[in-house]
Amino acid sequence: MIENKYINKIAALIIAIALVCTIFLVGYTNSAQISKTSPLYEKIIFGQDIISLDIVANEEDWKNMLENATDETYISCSVVVNGTKFDEVGIRPKGNSSLSQIARDPNSDRYSFKLKFDEFVKGQTCFGLDEFVVNNIMGDSTYMKEYISYDILKFIGAVTPLLQYSNITVNGEPWGLYLAIESYDDSFLAREFNDITGKLYNVKTMDMGNMNNMDNRPDQNNNSQFPNNDVFQPKNEQIEGNTKTQNFNNAMPPNGNGQMPNFNGGAPLDNGQNQRPQGGFGGFGGRGSGGGDLAYKDDNASSYSAIFDNAVSKITSSDSDRVITALKALSEGVDLEKYFNVDEILRYFAAHTVVVNLDSYVSNMAQNYYIYEKDGKIAILPWDYNLAFGGFQSGTAKDVINFPIDTPVSGVEMESRPLLDKLLQNEEYKEKYHSYLQEIVTSYFNNGLFESTVDSIDLKIKDYVKNDATAFYTYDDYEKSLPQFKKLCLLRSESIKGQLDGTIPSTTSSQKQNEASLIPADGVNLSALGSMMGGMGGNGQMGGIGGNRPQNFGQNIQDMQIIQKAMEIIQNAGGQITDEVKEKLIEIGITEDQIQMFMNMRNGMNGFGAPGGNVNLNGQQGNVNTSNLGSSYIVLIAATVLLGGGILFTSLWKRNF
């Protein structure tokens, strides 16, 4: 018989044991959440095989969606993913400049698309996946620029989305070979972090409204917008040659302020420190980046519209305040590891520098990346690499090969990109960044992994490329591009190695002063890889839905590289088109008709070149939150049993005594 004087101690002991067990179990559950689990969609959708994607839509709805693509409005359709059908799925066109270009092309409807499974059916997922995108592989005759970019990012340990090629049909008709990519949303957060409470922001600075309505531009005499009143503003003029036509509105959309791109590749080289040598277009983001540059401006969320107006997650003022606090710390260069996932960001920048993706944070564009914020700490997530490896603003092949690793910006100064600038000013961080570059060079390129990856992708997709119903390039273009792609990337690796060991200059200014030390680009045809304006069109029919297209239409578009070079020649001549300038233009492939068009445009303008949700469990196997909830139930049950036992013991004792 237990004596009365011990009963309180025994009850307290049982309760204490229950509490200790609860703490232990909670700690165990939390530690288990650190390791990732594999959701069902990772294997079923993004496995080793090309995704079979059949879209079944009402013909009229599909036609209206394509005709009004820039509205980016969802329609409902059925989607069959690798044999499994999902009804009432939301689908819409997506993109920025690529969306605008396709919308203006009467011969192509090959848009990129977003598929959102819970748009019309709350909680619906595709094997646990909320949404994914299928990219149209525009401007890429290799079909591999984006895939290889993400592969390098993943190789060096940066957080990346899942991806796989996808063969698409629409209403049973061939539509084309696309690249499917996991969207950054709740299912991604659950897969990558086992936690969906963090906040996601899709940083964008380009305004599709401005791009599609070129007349909504600031007055060119407004000195606050155009300080030198020296702005290039083509409107409806066309470049026309024997077989080449390109509307300048397509080639050069305005930036966030409505300004036209800077053909000088950025501000003048006043100090020679931070500008790109022989750069291409300076970009379209510039002064009106809306926070895309991650520069601290003030404490008002409205000053960071490129971030907060594009929040993927539902956010409150406290959420935006945390991001602004981090940007303020960045501007002061203090507590960087408190507010930023420094190691993750250094890995990101290392891979980003290797692939020379200038339609991004490192140019005037200041966009095409995601911010992930959790508990006041920011990470950068990569996005949109179809114009990597010299497809945008890159100048010549030699520029791409020797893109400087220590001032890896284009058309902007390093200090105007504080996240990159502050990190590389810190010697410890810079050394780690260099170590990641060295690892990519040594273990991805020099040991044959890159070439074997290209070969394995080629083996997988070449038959699909050959039969691509809406391809921007011919199969012959594809075959010719791969040797060029390999050569460019291996030379790029060689240059990075030289920049790391000091035999090749690693900054823009030092490269300009010692050009003889740079790796030559002999035999590399950069335009053969595709570019921003290259490859518009296709080599077949649009599955009976989008209409016919002329054979090899993609070869009838004025190559952006030639336009860039022409602008450089005219700019260097002070905007005057003399006989000597005409000879230089003809030498690079500009026709007499095109020269006349340039002259007409020049006479009519001031001059060329202005300076300067919830994750649906649905019973799906592998959903990370299912296991977490299971662990939580174990904790709850164990604690309840122990505490209940203590209470029962006490009540029985009192009843007996």
Side-chain angles (χ1 to χ4, degrees), residues 15 31 103 106 192 248 253 258 292 301-302 363 365 372 383 413 447 497-498 535 637:
I15 293 173
S31 66
E192 186 64 40
F248 255 65
S302 60
S363 76
M365 302 303 295
Y372 170 67
W383 194 249
E413 298 180 356
N447 72 352
K497 180 179 182 299
I637 292 170

Side-chain angles (χ1 to χ4, degrees), residues 257-272:
N257 275 338
Q259 297 163 308
M260 294 308 299
N262 177 356
F263 300 106
N264 248 350
L269 295 172
D270 51 353
N271 58 13

Side-chain angles (χ1 to χ4, degrees), residues 262-283 286 358 362-364 393-394 399 402-417 420-421 505-513 515 518 610-612:
N262 177 356
F263 300 106
N264 248 350
L269 295 172
D270 51 353
N271 58 13
Q273 290 296 314
N274 299 313
Q275 303 300 323
R276 287 278 294 117
Q278 309 172 40
F281 292 120
L358 303 183
V362 301
S363 76
N364 278 356
Q393 290 190 17
S394 54
D399 292 333
N402 296 286
F403 188 68
I405 63 173
D406 288 337
T407 56
V409 294
S410 174
V412 295
E413 298 180 356
M414 279 286 286
E415 54 261 35
S416 71
R417 296 295 176 265
L420 185 60
D421 187 45
S506 62
T507 66
T508 300
S509 59
S510 57
Q511 286 190 358
K512 189 175 181 64
Q513 295 166 6
E515 292 189 14
L518 303 181

